Structure formats: structure tokens, C-alpha cells
């Protein structure tokens, strides 16, 4: 039988030799792996004793190492100067007082440069010295008055904050129609000056109700009501008369007879003092008979009985009448003493008339005709 060249048969001896070679290579590779594993297992993985721990001060960079930090302190300051602190005029910021000087106080508000508060900005009230208001180390609010100057310094104020809050307070007091007490610190030709919440207020002479001369009111505490509160025009106007009238009105009622003293006579009527407050006896309310002038019937300092016919607390006015007390029309001209003797009797009739009108649904206070 013949064999072709493509059907060659492998020599058994050659095949056996090749198998031995492969086996030897596998054994050598396994030996290398075992050697590496043994070497890894034999390594000491514990932390060496000479390695510092995290809380060891010696492991931290000292301040003397800043030369090697990559930038200097001057460069760091220059970097900070590029940031905008956003301090604007009108802002209110917290600050710490760290120095009191003769002309003002130095305040730390966290800006690049210490801020300065002038002496005149320390308070809305007059103070003898900065130490009366501020103490070093004190933390409080400050108002920024202006932009930084050429030295990068801001100007501060406490007075501006107090000023704003004072106006807020007096507006609230006016809204509540509150009565306040304030000391007169000066007088002038027009009236008297007081301070309310640190603001300067003015009492016109026509709204001062007292027997004292104006000049003697200094240092007196007066009850006051608000007439005008205008921050934009810086006008704070008050009334002593309104406060007294309100107080008196709380104890008075329409139809009541009171004793008063004539304090002034005008062409249109007479002003009657009734226990510290002034009421108006209009010329039309003196008598049922027509009179040309109050001077023909009344004299200054006359004492007389009058009846209250209207109480206007909002305007601070008390309206009076003797006409309603006349037993017969014209008695105030011919026999005023008779009017005063029968005043309570006539007042009772007047009250009864008011009651009847109220029951009939008539809200008016009709005078006896």
C-alpha cells in the first residue's frame, strides 16, 4: 500500500518530547506565581513608628514655611483687595467699637479699613462724651453715611438710625392718637420747644393752655397731643390744649353745667376757662336776644356758669352756651344772676329735650327756642 504526502503520520517519539517540554514550562510558571505570593505574604504591612499621626503638631507646616507657599502675605492682601465688600451708603451693619478718640470712634465692620464715626453722629440726643454712649468692645448697629474716602474708610452714624426709628415711633403714636408727656426746653415768640423720642417738637402759642407766662414753662412737663407729623418737612407740631381738653372731656358731658372764668373776649365770642381748659362761648350762644359784641355783656375775669353743648375731642374744642340757660329770652342782658341761679334747672330741661330728640331719631342737638 502506498501513502500519499498529505497523510503524514507523527512520530511518537517526537510527540512525547513536545509534551514534556510543555509540562516543564507550566511547572516553571506556577513556581513564579507561588514565589510572588510568598513574597507578598512575607511583607510587613504595619505602620512604621517614625510616621507622625494627624494630630501631631510636628506634622503641620509652620508659619515660617509661608515662604514656600507660592505667594507672599503682600500678594494675599492684594488678592483680598480685589473683592467687593458691597458696603453702600444707607446700609445698616453690625460693628465692633475698638477705639474711642477725641473726634469720634473707630469701628470694625469687617471692611478692609476700620470705619470712623464722627462725634456728632453718636446720638440723636446731646452727649458730653463718646463714653456716655459707647464702650470699647461693644457690638451694635451702625448706619453707613457715605462711600469710602481716598483712604478706603467708611463714615458711620448711630444718630441716623435713631432718627429713622424716632419718626417711625411718633407716626405710630399719632396713629394711636396717644397723649405723651414732654419737657419744655426752650420758648420763643411763637410757642414752646420740646423733644419727643429725641426729635424737636414745637407747640404753637395758641395750643398752650396754662396760666403761666410762656417763659416760665421751661423744665415743665406737659401733656401733649400730635397735630402734625411730617418727616419730609421735618415738622413735628404738638398741642397742649388738645391734651388737656381730651383729659377734661373724659369727665365732661354735653348738657353739663360748669363754672368758668372769662379769659379773653373776641368779636366772635368769649374764651372761658373751665378747670384748666378753654371753651368757646360763641356770640350766638350768649343770649336769645341779638347782641352787637360780647363786650356789652361780658368782662375779662368774670366768673359765670355755662353749659356744655358740644365736645369735639378730635379738634380739641369745647362749645359753651348761656343762651340755653336763660329762663326767659334776653335774661343774660337784663339779669344774668337769675340765669346762673336757675342754670341747673334749665340744664335738666335741656337734657330732657335731647333725650326726647334721640328717641325720635333726631341726631341733632337743637337749642331751646
Amino acid at each position: 500500500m502506498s501513502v500519499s504526502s498529505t497523510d503524514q503520520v507523527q512520530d511518537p517519539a517526537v510527540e512525547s518530547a513536545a509534551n514534556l517540554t510543555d509540562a516543564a514550562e507550566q511547572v516553571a510558571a506556577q513556581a513564579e506565581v507561588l514565589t510572588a505570593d510568598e513574597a507578598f505574604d512575607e511583607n510587613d504591612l504595619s505602620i512604621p513608628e517614625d510616621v507622625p499621626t494627624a494630630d501631631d503638631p510636628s506634622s503641620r507646616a509652620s508659619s515660617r514655611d509661608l515662604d514656600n507657599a507660592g505667594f507672599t502675605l503682600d500678594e494675599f492682601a492684594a488678592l483680598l483687595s480685589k473683592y467687593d465688600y458691597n458696603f453702600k451708603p444707607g446700609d445698616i451693619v453690625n460693628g465692633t467699637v475698638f477705639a474711642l478718640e477725641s473726634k469720634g470712634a473707630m469701628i470694625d465692620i469687617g471692611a478692609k479699613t476700620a470705619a470712623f464715626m464722627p462725634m456728632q453722629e453718636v446720638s440723636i440726643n446731646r452727649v458730653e462724651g463718646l463714653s456716655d454712649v459707647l464702650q470699647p468692645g461693644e457690638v451694635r448697629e451702625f448706619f453707613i453715611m457715605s462711600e469710602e474716602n481716598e483712604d478706603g474708610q467708611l463714615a458711620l452714624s448711630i444718630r441716623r438710625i435713631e432718627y429713622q426709628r424716632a419718626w417711625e415711633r411718633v407716626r405710630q403714636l399719632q396713629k394711636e392718637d396717644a397723649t405723651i408727656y414732654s419737657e419744655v426746653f426752650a420758648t420763643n415768640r411763637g410757642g414752646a420747644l420740646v423733644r419727643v423720642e429725641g426729635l424737636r417738637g414745637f407747640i404753637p402759642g395758641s395750643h398752650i393752655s396754662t396760666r403761666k407766662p410762656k417763659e416760665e414753662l421751661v423744665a415743665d412737663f406737659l401733656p401733649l397731643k400730635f397735630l402734625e407729623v411730617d418727616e419730609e418737612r421735618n415738622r413735628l407740631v404738638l398741642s397742649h390744649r388738645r391734651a388737656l381738653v381730651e383729659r377734661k372731656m373724659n369727665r365732661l358731658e354735653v348738657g353739663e353745667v360748669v363754672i368758668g372764668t372769662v379769659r379773653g373776649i373776641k368779636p366772635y365770642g368769649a374764651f372761658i376757662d373751665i378747670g384748666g381748659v378753654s371753651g368757646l362761648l360763641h356770640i350766638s350762644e350768649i343770649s336769645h336776644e341779638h347782641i352787637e359784641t360780647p363786650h356789652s355783656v361780658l368782662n375779662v375775669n368774670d366768673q359765670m356758669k355755662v353749659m356744655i353743648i358740644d365736645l369735639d375731642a378730635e379738634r380739641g374744642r369745647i362749645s359753651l352756651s348761656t343762651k340755653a340757660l336763660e329762663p326767659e329770652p334776653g335774661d343774660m342782658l337784663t339779669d344774668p344772676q337769675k340765669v346762673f341761679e336757675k342754670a341747673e334747672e334749665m340744664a335738666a330741661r335741656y337734657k330732657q329735650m335731647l333725650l326726647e330728640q334721640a328717641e325720635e331719631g333726631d341726631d341733632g342737638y337743637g337749642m331751646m327756642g
Side-chain angles (χ1 to χ4, degrees), residues 211 248 252 256-262 272-277 302-308 320 325 340 343-344:
R211 297 179 182 179
K248 189 69 176 178
L252 298 175
E256 181 179 357
V257 174
V258 293
I259 298 176
T261 303
V262 178
I272 314 296
D273 185 324
I274 52 173
V277 296
D302 280 353
Q303 279 201 329
M304 57 189 298
K305 287 184 178 181
V306 291
M307 188 178 74
I308 299 170
L320 308 171
L325 300 178
F340 302 149
E344 284 73 18

Side-chain angles (χ1 to χ4, degrees), residues 210-247:
T210 178
R211 297 179 182 179
K212 276 187 175 183
K214 253 188 328 188
E215 297 73 19
E216 296 181 13
L217 289 176
V218 175
D220 281 1
F221 280 85
L222 302 179
L224 302 168
K225 302 285 285 187
F226 292 94
L227 291 179
E228 182 180 356
V229 176
D230 189 339
E231 181 179 359
E232 290 185 2
R233 298 171 62 194
N234 197 30
R235 283 175 59 85
L236 182 58
V237 185
L238 305 112
S239 173
H240 177 229
R241 177 171 59 81
R242 273 197 60 195
L244 291 181
V245 168
E246 182 183 82
R247 181 192 296 177

Side-chain angles (χ1 to χ4, degrees), residues 46-65:
S46 60
I47 299 175
E49 293 182 356
D50 59 348
V51 175
T53 61
D55 60 350
D56 185 353
S58 65
S59 68
R60 305 169 190 158
S62 67
S63 59
R64 290 172 295 180
D65 295 333

Side-chain angles (χ1 to χ4, degrees), residues 13 49 108 122 165 191 228 257 277 308 315 354-355 360:
E49 293 182 356
D108 178 12
V122 71
R165 292 176 180 171
E228 182 180 356
V257 174
V277 296
I308 299 170
R315 300 170 67 186
L354 293 180
L355 181 60
E360 294 172 0

Side-chain angles (χ1 to χ4, degrees), residues 173-185:
L173 290 170
Q174 182 193 36
K175 183 178 179 181
E176 297 170 359
D177 195 27
T179 297
I180 62 168
Y181 285 80
S182 187
E183 182 182 9
V184 176
F185 70 86

Side-chain angles (χ1 to χ4, degrees), residues 17-224:
N19 291 338
L20 289 174
T21 301
D22 292 338
E25 290 176 352
Q26 291 176 3
V27 170
Q30 290 176 356
E32 290 178 1
V33 171
L34 289 174
T35 301
D37 289 343
E38 290 170 356
F40 184 82
D41 291 339
E42 291 174 358
N43 280 340
D44 184 6
L45 300 181
S46 60
I47 299 175
E49 293 182 356
D50 59 348
V51 175
T53 61
D55 60 350
D56 185 353
S58 65
S59 68
R60 305 169 190 158
S62 67
S63 59
R64 290 172 295 180
D65 295 333
L66 291 177
D67 292 338
N68 301 320
F71 56 85
T72 67
L73 290 177
D74 289 340
E75 290 171 337
F76 182 68
L79 182 64
L80 287 179
S81 67
K82 296 180 181 179
Y83 287 89
D84 183 6
Y85 287 87
N86 293 321
F87 291 126
K88 303 183 297 297
D91 286 350
I92 294 178
V93 297
N94 287 325
T96 303
V97 181
F98 70 84
L100 301 181
E101 302 179 353
S102 60
K103 294 183 178 180
M106 302 300 294
I107 313 295
D108 178 12
I109 61 171
K112 294 172 292 185
T113 304
F116 180 72
M117 183 178 65
M119 176 69 180
Q120 62 268 25
E121 295 295 330
V122 71
S123 176
I124 197 172
N125 299 304
R126 292 184 179 180
V127 296
E128 296 297 326
L130 286 172
S131 59
D132 293 342
V133 179
L134 298 174
Q135 296 297 325
E138 179 182 357
V139 178
R140 63 178 301 163
E141 291 182 328
F142 297 89
F143 179 93
I144 297 179
M145 292 195 299
S146 62
E147 301 279 359
E148 293 180 352
N149 60 17
E150 61 273 12
D151 298 323
Q153 190 175 65
L154 292 164
L156 305 181
S157 173
I158 294 174
R159 185 178 68 87
R160 304 293 179 91
I161 296 176
E162 293 178 341
Y163 185 80
Q164 290 177 353
R165 292 176 180 171
W167 280 108
E168 291 174 3
R169 176 62 176 156
V170 295
R171 280 194 294 268
Q172 182 63 32
L173 290 170
Q174 182 193 36
K175 183 178 179 181
E176 297 170 359
D177 195 27
T179 297
I180 62 168
Y181 285 80
S182 187
E183 182 182 9
V184 176
F185 70 86
T187 61
N188 56 32
R189 187 170 58 183
L193 299 174
V194 295
R195 293 193 183 278
V196 181
E197 299 290 328
L199 301 173
R200 177 177 293 194
F202 177 66
I203 312 171
S206 60
H207 280 268
I208 298 175
S209 293
T210 178
R211 297 179 182 179
K212 276 187 175 183
K214 253 188 328 188
E215 297 73 19
E216 296 181 13
L217 289 176
V218 175
D220 281 1
F221 280 85
L222 302 179
L224 302 168

